[in-house]
Amino acid sequence: MVFIGDKGCRFTSDILEFFTNRFSLFDENLLDENTIVLVTGGSGGLGLELVKRLLVCKNKVIIVDIHPPTTDFGTADRVVFYRCDITDYDQVEELYNRIKYEHGTVSILLNNAGLTSISLLKSSSNDDMRRVIDVNFIGAYNMIQIFLPEMIKNNRGYVVNIASILGVITPARLSSYGASKAGLIALHISITRYLRSNYGKNNIKTLLVCPGKLKTTMFQNVETPSKFLAPDVEPSKLAKRILTSIECNATNTLSYPYYTNIVPFFKELNWPHIKAFKKFSGMNKVTAI
């Protein structure tokens, strides 16, 4: 769905929230006090904003990160932190068993954890490349591989993969980040088709999120080339749209802000057009640091 301008996005989000809160137009809403939500990378950035908004929905929230959150949520019984390196399959498996024993079944999985490395491909170390791909792609794969079967068994669940529009068209010096997000997009599509082919119209939903540049520490040294054409994304606003989509049982792709809806169009063009697009948009220039 394409929206023209940020106001259009806000208007549509508000309309969805109005109908979701007042009418039973959608399937079961998983955002209630009986649902356990797991957020990877939930100690900061977008993940932290998702946790804050989930608490308003009265969910129990499990934060999985390598660093504990510094925020005082004031609801200790509803927020639980587990330290886990999601790139390690054995650690994720141990995490799953512990959560199931101590809390129950996770019904909503938010694959949010991510990191980046800004450098020329020839200047990137093998360790840096591997770490970015491991966290952004392998980590999400591990979480899905281990937590999805229980959702299928219970016929109740939601998997949200937070990718990036840079996984569609990647600027210079972000090869590892773009590759990892492109892989996550492909993984999401594959899993969605698998669920639909093997289980039909069940209660396992999937949502792909492809935002533009987030206003977080991950890209704090990257200046946005055009605040008007490609504004930075406020994590709190994106978190609101993600949870609205979950409330509405959306199963498509959430692209925000407005320009991310037209970027895939350029992907279908020949390389000279893509090169011209990158130059005109300034996306290569701003990563030349």
Side-chain angles (χ1 to χ4, degrees):
M1 186 177 295
V2 179
F3 306 121
I4 305 301
D6 183 55
K7 291 183 179 179
C9 289
R10 289 201 298 269
F11 176 76
T12 303
S13 179
D14 292 340
I15 290 295
L16 288 174
E17 286 182 318
F18 175 84
F19 282 106
T20 302
N21 294 332
R22 290 163 177 77
F23 302 99
S24 300
L25 297 179
F26 307 100
D27 297 334
E28 177 191 11
N29 178 17
L30 294 182
L31 292 178
D32 58 34
E33 63 274 10
N34 298 317
T35 299
I36 299 175
V37 185
L38 189 156
V39 184
T40 64
S43 293
L46 175 60
L48 181 59
E49 293 300 326
L50 286 166
V51 171
K52 291 177 180 178
R53 289 194 171 273
L54 283 165
L55 291 178
V56 176
C57 300
K58 299 181 179 181
N59 294 104
K60 169 166 279 189
V61 184
I62 294 176
I63 297 174
V64 174
D65 209 317
I66 57 174
H67 302 293
T70 57
T71 302
D72 181 10
F73 297 105
T75 53
D77 59 326
R78 290 177 53 210
V79 182
V80 183
F81 169 75
Y82 288 99
R83 188 189 184 286
C84 177
D85 181 356
I86 61 173
T87 69
D88 187 322
Y89 189 90
D90 292 337
Q91 283 194 38
V92 176
E93 198 167 40
E94 182 180 345
L95 172 73
Y96 166 79
N97 292 327
R98 186 176 175 187
I99 290 175
K100 187 175 181 180
Y101 176 77
E102 296 178 357
H103 304 285
T105 301
V106 171
S107 295
I108 300 179
L109 171 61
L110 289 162
N111 278 320
N112 164 76
L115 55 82
T116 189
S117 176
I118 305 175
S119 64
L120 286 170
L121 184 61
K122 65 179 181 179
S123 303
S124 301
S125 69
N126 290 336
D127 289 343
D128 287 342
M129 290 284 291
R130 182 176 294 277
R131 185 60 181 166
V132 171
I133 293 174
D134 279 354
V135 172
N136 297 356
F137 175 65
I138 300 299
Y141 169 82
N142 288 341
M143 296 298 294
I144 294 171
Q145 184 79 350
I146 292 174
F147 282 87
L148 181 59
E150 189 72 12
M151 296 182 189
I152 295 174
K153 178 181 177 182
N154 296 331
N155 194 28
R156 186 177 191 267
Y158 219 125
V159 177
V160 180
N161 291 310
I162 300 175
S164 171
I165 197 62
L166 299 185
V168 179
I169 294 183
T170 307
R173 297 169 178 81
L174 280 174
S175 298
S176 57
Y177 183 81
S180 66
K181 292 301 184 179
L184 182 57
I185 291 171
L187 176 64
H188 178 93
I189 294 172
S190 177
I191 289 170
T192 299
R193 288 177 177 172
Y194 166 79
L195 289 171
R196 291 177 181 174
S197 298
N198 291 275
Y199 301 99
K201 294 183 178 180
N202 63 0
N203 289 321
I204 310 298
K205 305 294 192 302
T206 60
L207 176 68
L208 178 65
V209 183
C210 284
K213 174 176 168 283
L214 294 177
K215 193 179 290 186
T216 61
T217 56
M218 185 182 296
F219 292 106
Q220 62 184 354
N221 295 323
V222 178
E223 291 293 331
T224 301
S226 173
K227 299 291 185 181
F228 176 74
L229 295 176
D232 286 349
V233 178
E234 290 287 350
S236 59
K237 292 182 179 179
L238 180 58
K240 179 181 179 180
R241 281 161 177 75
I242 291 172
L243 296 189
T244 297
S245 297
I246 294 175
E247 287 179 326
C248 299
N249 288 291
T251 57
N252 55 352
T253 299
L254 172 60
S255 298
Y256 177 77
Y258 57 90
Y259 78 90
T260 58
N261 290 279
I262 63 173
V263 169
F265 166 76
F266 291 92
K267 179 72 173 180
E268 303 302 319
L269 300 178
N270 295 326
W271 72 266
H273 300 93
I274 297 177
K275 184 177 181 180
F277 168 74
K278 287 185 175 183
K279 183 177 181 179
F280 175 76
S281 66
M283 63 190 305
N284 281 345
K285 183 179 179 180
V286 297
T287 53
I289 60 176

